[in-house]
Amino acid sequence: MSKVVILGGGLHPFGRYPEKSFRELTRVAISNCLDDAGVQFSAIQAAFCGRVYAPMGTGLEVITQFGETGIPIINIEQACSSSSTAFRQAVWAIEQGIYDLVLVVGFEKMERGPVEIAASDSYDLRMGQSLAPANYGLKSQIYMDRYGATAEQFAAVSVKSHANAKLNPYAQYRKEVTIQEVMESRMIATPITLLQCSPTSDGASAVILSSATKARQYRNTHGEVYVTGWACGTDSYGDDDSDELEPCVTRLSNELYERAAIGPEDIDVVQLHDAFAPAEIIRMEAMGLAPEGSGARFVSEGKTGIDGPVPINTDGGLISRGHPMGATGLAQIIEILRQLRQEAGPRQVQGAPKIGVCHNSGVGGINMHSFSR
Amino acid sequence: MSETTITDHNGVIESFTVVHQEIAQSLIDPPYVLAEIRLNDGNCIRCVSTEELELSIGSEVSLTTRKLETGSGTRLGLVFALKCSRNTNE
């Protein structure tokens, strides 16, 4: 199988851009990506596009604004993990030798307000059981009951995320917040308050992947970053009866670590799907990044900060960088790319990080990837 | 696809959250309690209550059906109540 290299990445800043079209958002992200990779669009052999709310076939529109070169353009919808799914499909295509230079794009424009995860007129929707933060609220209560964690410790995730986002020019919320401000923001589903929720956002992200052989044709002043492993899946029978809060994340983490021949102790920087603050704590434990029951303490002691031993969501994560659903997965990967290249500026993890991992979760499934420099 | 038959409407709270966010098209007005309940027959079910309840993980509850106004008629929904509070009300 071919080794896969990330040649470059680019973003359109995340935020609210009601006046901008998908074409405008993606034009910026793809242009930045092509520049970063040193690749001409005409050389791209296939494009994979992740999005959720865009009309059918929008991938064709956003890709062909750079030229009608006749390449296959694949549209993928997988809720919050749409663009990491597009990324994985591209990785597989290169590994199998089908293509050796592929563009992956994620884009989104979202309405304000809570995201509906149940089908219209479904029982769950009618009975108030379909609110995403409530799902996390249920897990949070178990975590608090089991390990003695406090609501303030969950709030500390949001404080850390906002502090990191302040250092990220592409983030939606570049303003620090205090524990008190997080705790006093509007209650959504106990113990989760508004400032512990990822926002709805607009934005776009793009990455160019190549085979290691093809990568030699391009200038690479950044140092090569390889995709070293992947794992993907969904919940399975028995997960509901598990004592674990995130059994699927544990299962997929173990798959990823085995495939990449790494352990959690080898990971230098992490991007983790923090749609709601408690998720970061619960999932870091499921990934083996903190001992069971100690994740909340890890956060409140600063161990997950940029200068900590387990830096998580150095770009602000979903909560503060923003969460344009179709663009999020690639934005996570781009942050790992920047960190491994040591190009993250004021939010750079010190010590020349070599291994990074992404966890991206959606209603349609979980994708995890590992990377090395 | 498998079907599950509930044979016992009594159980204990495994987790709960108080939802304050309004949901479009929901028949349940916030605030309300959303709980995961382990029934005595082993089934696990998500269910809501609009009562003001002093809940904790492990609280004993029972399920009941309630008629909910949909705007175009009524619809039956499953709700839960604390076993002791229901007995008091009775």
Side-chain angles (χ1 to χ4, degrees):
Chain A
M1 286 201 301
S2 298
K3 288 180 76 173
V4 180
V5 174
I6 307 181
L7 276 185
L11 292 165
H12 182 290
F14 288 6
R16 298 194 190 281
Y17 303 99
E19 75 287 1
K20 289 195 174 185
S21 66
F22 289 118
R23 286 170 66 98
E24 292 171 291
L25 293 173
T26 52
R27 188 181 306 139
V28 172
I30 296 171
S31 296
N32 287 341
C33 180
L34 291 166
D35 288 347
D36 188 52
V39 169
Q40 295 290 317
F41 176 77
S42 57
I44 297 294
Q45 299 164 347
F48 293 79
C49 303
R51 85 288 182 271
V52 181
Y53 293 114
M56 65 178 179
T58 308
L60 184 72
E61 179 188 339
V62 305
I63 299 297
T64 56
Q65 67 180 315
F66 287 85
E68 293 189 359
T69 53
I71 60 171
I73 298 168
I74 299 99
N75 288 276
I76 292 169
E77 188 280 303
Q78 197 86 338
C80 303
S81 54
S82 292
S83 58
S84 63
T85 301
F87 180 88
R88 187 198 64 228
Q89 298 299 117
V91 167
W92 285 351
I94 292 172
E95 282 183 341
Q96 296 302 316
I98 300 169
Y99 306 112
D100 55 16
L101 193 64
V102 173
L103 173 65
V104 190
V105 183
F107 49 91
E108 203 65 78
K109 286 174 65 68
M110 299 176 74
E111 300 290 331
R112 287 175 180 265
V115 171
E116 190 48 64
I117 57 175
S120 180
D121 203 33
S122 67
Y123 180 83
D124 282 356
L125 177 63
R126 291 289 192 172
M127 292 302 291
Q129 299 179 14
S130 62
L131 189 68
N135 292 335
Y136 289 82
L138 290 168
K139 290 187 181 185
S140 305
Q141 296 284 5
I142 294 173
Y143 188 91
M144 294 167 83
D145 183 70
R146 192 178 288 176
Y147 305 115
T150 64
E152 285 79 5
Q153 287 177 312
F154 292 143
V157 172
S158 178
V159 172
K160 184 262 301 179
S161 299
H162 280 81
N164 291 354
K166 189 181 178 187
L167 306 174
N168 180 3
Y170 292 89
Q172 183 164 354
Y173 295 116
R174 302 189 63 200
K175 176 180 178 293
E176 290 194 61
V177 295
T178 64
I179 292 273
Q180 185 178 358
E181 286 172 317
V182 176
M183 294 294 291
E184 291 178 355
S185 62
R186 182 164 60 89
M187 182 59 72
I188 302 297
T190 56
I192 298 170
T193 59
L194 182 66
L195 288 179
Q196 296 175 61
C197 299
S198 56
T200 54
S201 317
D202 306 329
S205 49
V207 156
I208 291 175
L209 297 174
S210 79
S211 65
T213 307
K214 185 77 172 177
R216 294 188 198 116
Q217 295 180 16
Y218 294 95
R219 67 174 166 82
N220 204 332
T221 54
H222 313 284
E224 288 189 334
V225 171
Y226 294 92
V227 183
T228 56
W230 52 266
C232 54
T234 56
D235 292 337
S236 66
Y237 289 121
D239 283 355
D240 283 347
D241 295 324
S242 169
D243 279 342
E244 293 181 54
L245 291 170
E246 291 277 4
C248 186
V249 176
T250 302
R251 187 172 72 245
L252 294 177
S253 297
N254 291 334
E255 273 184 38
L256 177 75
Y257 299 155
E258 185 174 349
R259 198 166 273 129
I262 59 172
E265 67 281 2
D266 299 317
I267 301 169
D268 299 311
V269 59
V270 179
Q271 280 283 305
L272 192 161
H273 195 90
D274 60 327
F276 305 96
E280 183 167 307
I281 290 169
I282 294 168
R283 288 171 175 165
M284 81 168 78
E285 292 182 19
M287 291 171 68
L289 301 169
E292 180 183 339
S294 66
R297 186 167 48 79
F298 261 46
V299 174
S300 53
E301 291 177 352
K303 290 182 176 174
T304 58
I306 290 171
D307 297 327
V310 191
I312 296 178
N313 293 334
T314 48
D315 63 347
L318 278 65
I319 291 173
S320 310
R321 178 201 59 231
H323 183 28
M325 292 167 68
T328 287
L330 281 186
Q332 293 180 309
I333 290 166
I334 291 167
E335 177 63 9
I336 293 293
L337 177 70
R338 299 275 180 262
Q339 290 288 346
L340 296 188
R341 286 173 168 181
Q342 300 184 72
E343 294 175 347
R347 62 181 193 284
Q348 178 64 49
V349 170
Q350 298 304 303
K354 290 184 174 57
I355 295 176
V357 163
C358 281
H359 160 277
N360 184 209
S361 180
V363 172
I366 296 171
N367 294 314
M368 299 185 70
H369 291 95
S370 59
F371 308 89
S372 75
R373 175 171 58 85
Chain B
M1 188 171 172
S2 63
E3 288 187 358
T4 302
T5 303
I6 294 173
T7 58
D8 190 329
H9 286 195
N10 300 305
V12 296
I13 297 283
E14 289 205 328
S15 189
F16 67 97
T17 180
V18 182
V19 177
H20 292 257
Q21 175 71 45
E22 195 170 330
I23 305 173
Q25 298 183 54
S26 173
L27 302 174
I28 312 294
D29 293 326
Y32 60 91
V33 182
L34 172 65
E36 280 186 342
I37 298 166
R38 177 69 63 181
L39 298 172
N40 294 340
D41 64 9
N43 285 311
C44 189
I45 191 168
R46 279 195 185 183
C47 198
V48 299
S49 174
T50 54
E51 295 177 33
E52 279 192 35
L53 304 172
E54 285 199 19
L55 285 179
S56 59
I57 290 175
S59 294
E60 294 188 5
V61 295
S62 59
L63 305 184
T64 185
T65 51
R66 193 176 121 193
K67 278 185 180 174
L68 301 161
E69 296 295 329
T70 65
S72 57
T74 58
R75 183 168 177 167
L76 281 178
L78 204 56
V79 298
F80 76 89
L82 271 172
K83 283 187 80 172
C84 55
S85 71
R86 194 180 71 157
N87 291 338
T88 303
N89 290 337
E90 285 172 352

